[in-house]
Amino acid sequence: MKPRTQLRYLSIALFALWGRAGAEDLPPFVVPSSLLGRPAVARPLPAPVEASAPRPAAGPVTPAATPPKRVSAAVPAASPARKPAPAAAPAKPAKTGTTLISGDKVVARQDVDAFAEGSAVLTRDATRVEADKLQYFELTDEVEATGNVRMTRGTDEMTGPHARIKVQEQVGTFDSPSYAISRPPRPPQPGQLPLLPGQAVPLRQQPLTGHGSADKLDLEGENQFRFFNATWTSCKPDRPDWYLKAKELQLDYDSEVGDATGGTLVFKGVPLVYMPWADFPLGESRKSGVLSPTFGTSNKVGFDLTVPYYFNIAPNYDDTLTARYMGRRGLQMRNELRYITPTRRGTTYLEYMPEDQVEKRSRYAGSVRHDEVFGNGWAGNINFSGVSDPLYFIDLSSRLALTSQVNLLRQGSLSYSGGGWWTATGMLQAFQTLQDPNGATVTQPYKRLPQLTLNANRPELPGGTTFLLNSEFVAFSHPTLDEGRRTTFYPQLALPLQTSAFYVTPKIGVHATRYDLDRRTSTGENTVTRSVPIVSVDSGVSFERDTSFGGRDYIHTLEPRVYYLYVPYRDQSMIPNFDSGSYDFNLAQIFAENIFTGGDRIANANQVTTAVQTRLIDPATGAETVRAALGPRFYFEEQRVFLDYKNKNGVATRSGKQPDMLAAASGTIAPKTQLDTAWQYNTQESWTERFNVGVRYQPAYARALGVSWRYRRNYSSDPASPNGFRDIDLTGQWPLWGNWYGVGRYNRNLRDHRLTQGIAGVEYNAGCWVFRGVVQHLTTSATDVNRSFFFQLEFNGAGSLGSSPLNVLRRGVPGYGKINDGSNPFSSDDAF
């Protein structure tokens, strides 16, 4: 093992508290457009920084008399011979590569050297060296400066008592320097979201800046610096709250990586971490190495320490190997591979725990996601996930999206597109069901082994008609319920009639289905057929006018729509329900042909749906300021088709002809204040079926307050049925005082009187470092909760310590903004 490698492992084993970036925020997986088969977009070069204007070149250099008069000499680079310029010649801008030397006293020997004393200055292009004394050696292109030396090159600056440097090659030494190095920011990526009001330029678009001091500096070429007994920080010079102190420090601004040997991280004068060896980012370039370890605690796993190692395999491939130690449960290893090419992309991960000290057994989880385009119309997909046991995510994860999962998808598909108007697909699909022993019973979905589909959409046929076809063959498999094979053939013919102001689209089709069944839990024939004609007419008109409101000009629209649907009744009580469910009743679904999903239930219908939508549109940007819609549906016959004919309890069924009313509104109701609400009202029973309302106030970046309330009527006689709910959700991020911010979420189930998710935390932005402390309460099952604590110190430009709560905050607090991508932390505007 190489010594350098040994130091890397020693750093991980002993300290494991330092790295390049947040463990939850991997390096950006950005791939050059050339690797994706697209032309590369030229990136503008940063504008050159002008050096100080050189003093005019004078005539022949002579010793100065008393009192001294300032003189200068011009030395063209690599010139074999020079003639002194006439004394009366006017000053001209120096040519590229010309060396200018000035001082109170200047002595020069042609083609040998030049000596300047008293406010001596040497300039060439963007390089400028100032000192009490300096001597330039023309043959070796070296300058030796003594006394109050100050060298600038572009945006870099070094000061010290003595330096000897090769000017063009930027190679040499600097004694006892103080330095400040800066590089211009990267331009925004194409398609990047615009900045929000009050948001400053994000860190990734700010200049790369660092400064410090050292006993010695070796210049090793442009953008290459090696310091000895040095310090480095991204803080302002007058506020060095933290700095890295190292015996040897190398800064490589070509690869944007710094290497420190024998280093110590000092924060507020207190040494926090000793590092035999560490590297840290000077920008966003991806590089193999140890990412910032994270640590935290929760009631499920105890002390939680994660140490990731990042492998930058290629611009379009990377891999992350992570070791996670949980005080209560033991050691877990995880590996994640990501890749993207012009024809394929995917992510694969596997995590394994040899022995869970609580469960007394090994545990694992894994996922494979792969999409590929084979060419000539062929494409494929794999999406496979699995865990060792149903409680895996509940015990080991703090993410609501994972702890709430009950079925893990296992699917593979192959498709072919022919002629651009038809597509054939073959798919195999199964699930792993995660049944919580202490939770409600979860029904395992049917497997599709296989599913074959053929869909077509052929427009512009004779007479302006359009032909559509949806067809399918699927074999449903289940360990305990009825099984069967379903064949569906649904041809349709439509006649779109459209102008710029209105449209009318009549459509007719026949939905034909055949079932070949293997009954286990029901009785009846094993072969069942169903044929249902479906007729509809969809029409709409759009009106516009110019208007003004609140002193602003708008385009006001009025868009009525009428939809008629007729589907005759067919008895489907003898057909098992393999994959049908109920659609949510909303303004999009009321214009659908069926109130049920899947293919096992086709609801009878003789109804007219009417709706009117109105909008206020900003004519300059096209953005919607206000949208409102109202849509009743009128029934001419009662509902006679149900999901479950044996047990209708818990299912919203319509028993009369009275219309349901839908209403929705969204828009800006006050400056920086957004409203979003929807309402479903049952006119027959005179009650509200569903209602939700939400208001969010976001005046600037990292300032957001929100409140929402949701209600759905419970149709079950069991009050614990999941069909109904009532909950309230309060979220917010706001400056408290000084540079302190508060952030939180309170999501409570009012029906069960339980806290679903609670987040409470504070953040502090000191300019070059940020502190975050967050506590999370997460209900993972009917009888269990997960409580986690996140603590993080983020050092701008040099990674972080602790466990990052950023992903939790972004997922749980709408409008959350990372405070060190926001306004100036020292601005008085941040005060509450």
Side-chain angles (χ1 to χ4, degrees):
M1 181 181 292
K2 296 181 179 180
R4 189 178 185 85
T5 305
Q6 291 175 344
L7 286 175
R8 289 174 182 249
Y9 280 100
L10 180 60
S11 175
I12 297 172
L14 296 179
F15 307 97
L17 295 172
W18 180 259
R20 300 178 52 248
E24 290 196 25
D25 301 315
L26 295 179
F29 196 54
V30 180
V31 179
S33 57
S34 58
L35 289 172
L36 300 177
R38 299 191 295 270
V41 179
R43 192 164 87 182
L45 296 175
V49 181
E50 293 185 1
S52 301
R55 295 176 175 81
V61 179
T62 57
T66 303
K69 295 182 179 180
R70 188 164 185 82
V71 294
S72 62
V75 186
S79 174
R82 301 180 313 283
K83 295 181 179 180
K92 296 182 180 180
K95 295 182 179 180
T96 301
T98 300
T99 303
L100 299 178
I101 301 174
S102 62
D104 295 338
K105 175 182 178 182
V106 177
V107 178
R109 292 182 295 175
Q110 183 172 328
D111 298 332
V112 179
D113 62 3
F115 176 82
E117 185 176 8
S119 300
V121 178
L122 177 146
T123 61
R124 182 193 296 171
D125 302 332
T127 300
R128 179 182 177 92
V129 180
E130 304 175 23
D132 294 340
K133 300 178 182 179
L134 63 81
Q135 185 172 8
Y136 174 70
F137 303 94
E138 186 173 354
L139 294 180
T140 59
D141 192 32
E142 287 183 285
V143 60
E144 183 171 8
T146 305
N148 297 314
V149 181
R150 178 176 179 267
M151 185 183 80
T152 59
R153 181 176 177 87
T155 55
D156 300 340
E157 178 179 331
M158 292 119 198
T159 60
H162 176 265
R164 186 179 180 98
I165 303 163
K166 289 190 174 183
V167 181
Q168 189 64 35
E169 297 179 12
Q170 289 297 295
V171 174
T173 59
F174 216 117
D175 295 336
S176 302
S178 296
Y179 67 93
I181 302 174
S182 179
R183 290 296 178 271
R186 297 187 174 206
Q189 297 293 326
Q192 184 170 315
L193 295 177
L195 300 181
L196 296 175
Q199 181 182 4
V201 178
L203 288 176
R204 59 184 175 275
Q205 297 177 33
Q206 294 179 12
L208 310 178
T209 303
H211 66 88
S213 60
D215 289 348
K216 180 183 177 183
L217 163 62
D218 284 350
L219 297 171
E220 299 179 339
E222 188 174 6
N223 296 325
Q224 305 292 322
F225 307 88
R226 186 181 299 274
F227 300 89
F228 298 90
N229 293 327
T231 63
W232 183 90
T233 182
S234 62
C235 293
K236 294 182 178 180
D238 58 337
R239 297 175 63 99
D241 290 345
W242 70 269
Y243 59 89
L244 177 64
K245 184 177 181 180
K247 291 183 178 179
E248 184 175 337
L249 177 67
Q250 183 178 6
L251 304 181
D252 183 347
Y253 282 91
D254 288 329
S255 61
E256 296 183 353
V257 173
D259 288 334
T261 302
T264 302
L265 176 64
V266 180
F267 177 66
K268 292 291 187 178
V270 178
L272 290 184
V273 182
Y274 172 70
M275 297 160 289
W277 174 86
D279 63 356
F280 54 93
L282 299 173
E284 285 200 323
S285 297
R286 293 161 47 199
K287 178 184 179 296
S288 297
V290 180
L291 302 181
S292 291
T294 66
F295 55 87
T297 181
S298 76
N299 64 318
K300 288 289 187 177
V301 302
F303 177 75
D304 194 352
L305 172 65
T306 301
V307 182
Y309 190 93
Y310 179 75
F311 297 91
N312 182 26
I313 302 173
N316 57 329
Y317 286 82
D318 67 4
D319 187 272
T320 306
L321 179 64
T322 303
R324 179 187 182 189
Y325 176 75
M326 293 165 276
R328 290 191 60 200
R329 298 184 179 271
L331 180 66
Q332 179 193 70
M333 299 299 297
R334 175 189 170 102
N335 191 78
E336 180 178 7
L337 173 69
R338 304 184 297 180
Y339 55 90
I340 180 172
T341 73
T343 60
R344 65 176 64 93
R345 66 176 60 205
T347 301
T348 299
Y349 85 84
L350 175 66
E351 53 191 33
Y352 177 71
M353 180 183 296
E355 183 179 3
D356 186 329
Q357 297 174 4
V358 176
E359 297 292 329
K360 304 301 181 182
R361 57 190 173 92
S362 62
R363 308 181 78 177
Y364 61 84
S367 173
V368 177
R369 295 186 180 182
H370 176 82
D371 298 284
E372 182 154 357
V373 177
F374 300 105
N376 299 321
W378 290 92
N381 166 273
I382 296 175
N383 189 346
F384 186 97
S385 299
V387 294
S388 58
D389 56 271
L391 298 180
Y392 186 90
F393 293 128
I394 293 177
D395 289 343
L396 303 180
S397 178
S398 60
R399 290 183 55 186
L400 180 61
L402 293 179
T403 59
S404 61
Q405 287 190 112
V406 294
N407 291 297
L408 300 182
L409 180 64
R410 298 175 173 183
Q411 175 180 295
S413 66
L414 182 67
S415 64
Y416 176 77
S417 298
W421 62 276
W422 65 272
T423 302
T425 302
M427 182 179 69
L428 300 174
Q429 184 186 79
F431 297 88
Q432 180 184 6
T433 300
L434 309 181
Q435 176 63 61
D436 181 359
N438 300 317
T441 301
V442 178
T443 302
Q444 180 177 345
Y446 277 90
K447 300 176 182 178
R448 300 169 187 259
L449 304 172
Q451 180 185 40
L452 307 175
T453 61
L454 176 63
N455 299 318
N457 186 347
R458 186 71 170 180
E460 300 179 358
L461 294 177
T465 58
T466 297
F467 173 74
L468 301 97
L469 174 67
N470 296 321
S471 61
E472 173 195 58
F473 170 81
V474 56
F476 292 101
S477 175
H478 197 280
T480 59
L481 302 179
D482 292 345
E483 297 183 331
R485 291 150 299 283
R486 185 180 70 201
T487 304
T488 303
F489 189 73
Y490 182 25
Q492 307 157 72
L493 199 63
L495 180 60
L497 305 174
Q498 188 171 359
T499 69
S500 59
F502 71 90
Y503 67 90
V504 178
T505 305
K507 186 172 70 171
I508 186 172
V510 178
H511 197 290
T513 312
R514 173 188 171 94
Y515 289 86
D516 296 298
L517 304 173
D518 300 322
R519 296 186 182 273
R520 295 178 179 173
T521 60
S522 64
T523 60
E525 297 180 358
N526 290 332
T527 300
V528 180
T529 60
R530 179 188 61 193
S531 181
V532 185
I534 300 176
V535 179
S536 66
V537 179
D538 193 6
S539 61
V541 185
S542 180
F543 301 97
E544 291 185 1
R545 66 167 184 165
D546 295 329
T547 187
S548 61
F549 181 77
R552 297 182 59 183
D553 293 332
Y554 294 99
I555 297 174
H556 181 208
T557 72
L558 186 66
E559 305 163 56
R561 182 178 178 184
V562 179
Y563 178 74
Y564 174 75
L565 175 66
Y566 176 75
V567 181
Y569 168 73
R570 296 291 187 269
D571 184 9
Q572 300 163 53
S573 59
M574 301 304 294
I575 299 175
N577 183 4
F578 294 125
D579 63 355
S580 284
S582 294
Y583 276 117
D584 281 342
F585 190 57
N586 52 51
L587 285 168
Q589 189 277 327
I590 61 176
F591 297 100
E593 294 178 349
N594 195 3
I595 63 174
F596 299 119
T597 64
D600 296 318
R601 298 291 185 266
I602 300 177
N604 61 299
N606 186 8
Q607 61 199 34
V608 172
T609 302
T610 61
V612 60
Q613 176 179 262
T614 183
R615 296 182 292 164
L616 287 179
I617 301 174
D618 187 333
T621 64
E624 289 182 358
T625 302
V626 175
R627 174 198 288 262
L630 181 67
R633 175 186 280 175
F634 299 92
Y635 304 102
F636 302 124
E637 65 178 47
E638 295 185 355
Q639 178 180 343
R640 302 174 63 187
V641 178
F642 307 101
L643 285 176
D644 186 353
Y645 284 83
K646 294 181 179 180
N647 180 18
K648 300 176 185 178
N649 190 29
V651 179
T653 59
R654 174 176 46 83
S655 59
K657 300 179 182 179
Q658 295 296 321
D660 279 355
M661 183 71 68
L662 284 177
S666 63
T668 303
I669 59 174
K672 312 299 183 181
T673 305
Q674 300 292 320
L675 169 71
D676 190 0
T677 183
W679 178 46
Q680 178 186 349
Y681 183 73
N682 187 324
T683 60
Q684 179 179 348
E685 304 293 344
S686 299
W687 63 40
T688 294
E689 300 279 354
R690 296 186 184 190
F691 180 74
N692 65 270
V693 59
V695 178
R696 188 169 77 179
Y697 174 63
Q698 188 168 3
Y701 185 79
R703 292 168 170 82
L705 300 174
V707 56
S708 63
W709 186 72
R710 299 188 307 155
Y711 166 82
R712 184 170 73 180
R713 187 176 183 81
N714 189 5
Y715 295 94
S716 175
S717 59
D718 179 6
S721 170
N723 291 302
F725 59 79
R726 298 189 309 275
D727 66 22
I728 188 170
D729 199 3
L730 306 175
T731 62
Q733 179 188 21
W734 202 261
L736 302 176
W737 62 86
N739 303 326
W740 287 93
Y741 286 71
V743 61
R745 179 181 188 182
Y746 182 83
N747 181 221
R748 186 172 184 82
N749 185 326
L750 300 178
R751 187 194 67 180
D752 299 334
H753 306 288
R754 297 188 65 190
L755 181 62
T756 304
Q757 184 179 25
I759 297 174
V762 292
E763 302 176 287
Y764 180 79
N765 185 7
C768 63
W769 62 273
V770 174
F771 164 78
R772 297 182 179 93
V774 175
V775 178
Q776 178 185 226
H777 171 105
L778 181 65
T779 299
T780 56
S781 68
T783 59
D784 208 354
V785 298
N786 188 329
R787 296 184 180 92
S788 305
F789 176 70
F790 301 88
F791 168 89
Q792 183 188 39
L793 274 174
E794 180 181 351
F795 305 100
N796 293 352
S800 62
L801 293 176
S803 54
S804 172
L806 289 176
N807 287 341
V808 170
L809 297 176
R810 287 166 178 159
R811 291 190 300 262
V813 182
Y816 172 80
K818 187 178 179 183
I819 60 174
N820 46 340
D821 279 354
S823 304
N824 180 359
F826 303 105
S827 169
S828 60
D829 294 338
D830 280 331
F832 180 72

